[in-house]
Amino acid sequence: MNWIILVIAGLFEVAFASCLGKVKETNGTEMYWWFAGFLVSLTISMVLLIKATETLPIGTAYAVWTGIGAVGTAIIGILVFKDPASFWRIFFITTLIASVVGLKFVSH
């Protein structure tokens, strides 16, 4: 169950990073709404990460949480923020995914 919580925490990490990207692109009231989304997503992500580390090793949980956030944010960057999608960028995103899955399999 805590692996599921950890994945959800990682998805909220993607959400707070994406909200920061939108804060940078907007102004006025819209910027404040994106900033509020950032704060809510950050809070949820941290609470779920804390919950997941009650039974998972902190090093593994943090690495998986960060990996999910990095991969998800890179994909959102490509799809939403028009970041480049070069061969090497996709290659290293793929290796990050493999590393996160590998950590899951070698953790007790």
Side-chain angles (χ1 to χ4, degrees), residues 1-13 44-45 47-53 55-56 61 64-65 68 100 104:
M1 181 64 176
N2 281 332
W3 281 103
I4 294 169
I5 291 171
L6 184 60
V7 169
I8 294 169
L11 294 175
F12 274 100
E13 183 187 2
I44 293 170
S45 183
V47 167
L48 293 175
L49 178 61
I50 291 167
K51 177 70 177 153
T53 59
T55 59
L56 298 174
V64 170
W65 177 76
I68 292 168
V100 168
K104 162 71 170 102

Side-chain angles (χ1 to χ4, degrees), residues 78-102:
I78 291 168
L79 297 176
V80 175
F81 296 106
K82 308 299 181 215
D83 290 348
S86 67
F87 168 80
W88 288 111
R89 187 177 178 109
I90 300 301
F91 173 78
F92 286 115
I93 288 171
T94 304
T95 61
L96 264 172
I97 293 168
S99 297
V100 168
V101 171

Side-chain angles (χ1 to χ4, degrees), residues 6-48:
L6 184 60
V7 169
I8 294 169
L11 294 175
F12 274 100
E13 183 187 2
V14 174
F16 79 69
S18 299
C19 286
L20 276 181
K22 294 302 278 185
V23 164
K24 184 174 75 170
E25 292 181 349
T26 58
N27 53 41
T29 305
E30 185 179 0
M31 179 190 69
Y32 291 113
W33 282 110
W34 284 111
F35 188 71
F38 162 76
L39 292 175
V40 169
S41 299
L42 176 65
T43 302
I44 293 170
S45 183
M46 292 297 159
V47 167
L48 293 175

